[in-house]
């Protein structure tokens, strides 16, 4: 395993290397203003414990990382976008806690 990777376990119990550098929650960070915001931590924990261990979750995360920077580039400063995302993420976070 390379230095910029972490390891997760898939549905078969096999170790799967994951890029450490690309673990930015782009939309949540834009919405909550910080990568270290408590809400973003909840979402990262969900990603790491519930999504990354399984192939469909890894695919979802890969797609999210492919498109979310572009979404933030074009809509990150839009008050309506940020407000709708925050409302949706708040509901998800409440459910996850």
């Amino acid at each position: 395993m390379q230095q910029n990777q972490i390891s997760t376990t898939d549905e078969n119990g096999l170790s799967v290397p994951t890029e450490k550098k690309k673990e930015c929650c782009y939309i949540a960070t834009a919405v909550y203003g910080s990568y270290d915001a408590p809400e973003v931590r909840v979402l990262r924990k969900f990603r790491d414990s519930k999504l990354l261990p399984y192939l469909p979750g890894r695919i979802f995360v890969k797609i999210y990382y492919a498109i979310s920077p572009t979404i933030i580039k074009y809509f990150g400063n839009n008050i309506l976008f940020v407000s709708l995302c925050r409302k949706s993420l708040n509901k998800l976070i409440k459910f996850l806690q």
Side-chain angles (χ1 to χ4, degrees):
M1 189 163 48
Q2 296 175 349
Q3 190 174 11
N4 65 342
Q5 292 183 334
I6 59 170
S7 179
T8 58
T9 306
D10 70 5
E11 61 271 14
N12 298 317
L14 301 173
S15 180
V16 178
T18 306
E19 289 293 324
K20 194 172 186 178
K21 286 192 225 181
K22 298 181 181 180
E23 293 184 347
C24 185
C25 300
Y26 296 98
I27 295 173
T29 300
V31 167
Y32 294 109
S34 170
Y35 179 77
D36 291 320
E39 299 88 350
V40 179
R41 282 190 227 146
V42 170
L43 294 169
R44 283 197 318 262
K45 182 178 176 184
F46 172 72
R47 177 203 59 205
D48 295 344
S49 65
K50 302 296 183 188
L51 295 178
L52 291 181
Y54 304 100
L55 180 60
R58 289 192 300 272
I59 292 169
F60 172 81
V61 170
K62 189 171 185 169
I63 292 168
Y64 171 80
Y65 286 144
I67 64 172
S68 61
T70 303
I71 292 171
I72 291 303
K73 179 180 175 182
Y74 290 107
F75 301 106
N77 292 324
N78 182 296
I79 295 170
L80 180 59
F81 172 80
V82 172
S83 176
L84 290 172
C85 285
R86 182 182 300 257
K87 189 173 183 177
S88 299
L89 289 173
N90 284 344
K91 288 179 183 181
L92 175 60
I93 292 164
K94 186 175 180 178
F95 174 77
L96 293 174
Q97 293 177 326

